[in-house]
Amino acid sequence: MTVFQSWRSSLDPERVMSVTVTRWQEQNSHQREDQVTVEEPLEVRIAGRSLAVIMRTPGHDHELAAGFLFTEGIIHRSAELLKIEDASDKDGLPLANVVNVTLEPELAAAACSVPAEGSTTAFDRHFAVSSSCGLCGKNSIADLMVSTPPLEPDSLQISAQLVYELPDRLREAQDVFSHTGGLHAAGLFDTAGRLLLLREDIGRHNAVDKIIGRGLLENTLPYRQSILMVSGRTSFEIIQKALLARIPCIVSISAPSSLAVELAESSGITLVGFLRGNRMNVYTHPERIVFPA
């Protein structure tokens, strides 16, 4: 453990690790220090019972736990979440990697009860969530797609010029990415382009869960007048999470998947991809993107 902790970078010891690498250029090589993003497991317990192990970048763990419980349908509103605290035991890990969640009594009872044979309640399964995938606990995508109503009609309009500027604004705020180059980000902007919240994580879906979890903990959900920007591609689970948080517009510098486009279209979300320079593809609900005279 002592050796492991000595690798922690002074740049950001919770989320950045220093390593020695051998760098090659053509036939020449030399050793140098490099920085990599920390990835560690976070165990989420409900009333002391293990529910999920999430591979993530440490930081904002209470937000991640809250957002995960919300987007997985374990809780549906802030009032059901009474308390999140770090567990006293570290299980031999160098950082605290266990959180214990206290839910309102009815949900806590369901979490702690022994499921009946053949039951399919939310707590019948233990989640193992990698940093590269979301929706790992869902029984079927079809069930998910019918469980959440589409967004209500709105008259929201977003300047195309503002959208063009979002990647630079997101990138400027990415502290850990600037050290490691190996981290995803999710940023929540208002319709004037102000960055309201930024979260970084080795898992794109974790970064979104942290933003949603912050809204739960501060009771600022839903995000009806906001824009969510994610680094990398936009897949189905990102749209699903945004829909639950009632976010009307999602933008990304990369491509969406087919299921992401289908869900965005059916749920009333404006989906923008390949946002690079002064170019973008608007895949669904283009009426919200305007270029004022």
Side-chain angles (χ1 to χ4, degrees):
M1 184 191 307
T2 302
V3 174
F4 184 78
Q5 289 205 56
S6 71
W7 293 353
R8 297 290 172 173
S9 171
S10 59
L11 297 170
D12 188 335
E14 189 176 34
R15 298 181 293 172
V16 179
M17 181 179 291
S18 297
V19 296
T20 300
V21 301
T22 301
R23 183 179 180 89
W24 281 82
Q25 183 170 358
E26 296 183 351
Q27 72 272 28
N28 301 313
S29 67
H30 67 276
Q31 287 193 326
R32 54 167 286 183
E33 184 179 273
D34 201 1
Q35 312 296 328
V36 297
T37 302
V38 172
E39 180 181 26
E40 290 181 348
L42 174 69
E43 182 180 356
V44 179
R45 298 175 182 170
I46 296 181
R49 176 183 172 184
S50 181
L51 175 73
V53 175
I54 304 171
M55 298 305 299
R56 95 306 187 198
T57 299
H60 306 105
D61 287 341
H62 291 194
E63 295 176 359
L64 176 58
F68 174 80
L69 293 174
F70 180 75
T71 59
E72 285 291 342
I74 308 300
I75 61 174
H76 300 91
R77 54 187 180 275
S78 300
E80 297 173 340
L81 183 60
L82 303 184
K83 183 169 60 175
I84 302 178
E85 55 190 348
D86 296 326
S88 57
D89 59 308
K90 296 184 180 181
D91 292 340
L93 295 171
L95 296 174
N97 282 282
V98 180
V99 296
N100 193 52
V101 180
T102 302
L103 301 180
E104 61 112 29
E106 290 77 8
L107 286 178
C112 297
S113 64
V114 177
E117 184 177 353
S119 171
T120 57
T121 63
F123 300 100
D124 288 2
R125 56 191 185 272
H126 185 278
F127 298 90
V129 184
S130 78
S131 55
S132 61
C133 80
L135 301 177
C136 297
K138 291 301 180 185
N139 288 326
S140 78
I141 290 177
D143 289 344
L144 181 84
M145 294 186 73
V146 300
S147 64
T148 306
L151 298 182
E152 296 77 13
D154 62 57
S155 57
L156 185 66
Q157 291 192 324
I158 301 168
S159 164
Q161 185 58 51
L162 181 151
V163 175
Y164 293 146
E165 297 170 2
L166 295 184
D168 287 341
R169 298 183 187 185
L170 185 74
R171 176 66 184 84
E172 289 170 2
Q174 287 185 253
D175 292 336
V176 179
F177 182 88
S178 65
H179 300 314
T180 68
L183 208 64
H184 286 294
L188 191 71
F189 294 85
D190 66 16
T191 54
R194 290 183 291 264
L195 180 61
L196 305 175
L197 192 59
L198 172 95
R199 291 294 180 262
E200 293 179 284
D201 198 280
I202 199 151
R204 178 187 304 106
H205 55 94
N206 289 340
V208 175
D209 274 346
K210 288 177 179 180
I211 283 179
I212 294 174
R214 177 67 173 269
L216 276 169
L217 296 178
E218 295 197 342
N219 206 24
T220 55
L221 282 181
Y223 294 138
R224 297 186 190 277
Q225 297 291 314
S226 300
I227 304 165
L228 176 67
M229 180 169 186
V230 295
S231 61
R233 62 185 173 82
T234 306
S235 49
F236 175 86
E237 76 272 11
I238 300 299
I239 307 296
Q240 175 257 346
K241 293 175 187 295
L243 176 59
L244 288 167
R246 316 311 278 174
I247 298 172
C249 183
I250 302 172
V251 302
S252 172
I253 62 173
S254 191
S257 70
S258 62
L259 270 179
V261 173
E262 290 177 21
L263 181 58
E265 177 62 37
S266 64
S267 60
I269 292 175
T270 298
L271 176 58
V272 176
F274 288 110
L275 175 58
R276 300 170 185 178
N278 286 340
R279 294 180 292 117
M280 61 179 162
N281 291 344
V282 184
Y283 290 88
T284 60
H285 297 279
E287 65 276 5
R288 289 197 181 98
I289 308 298
V290 297
F291 202 98

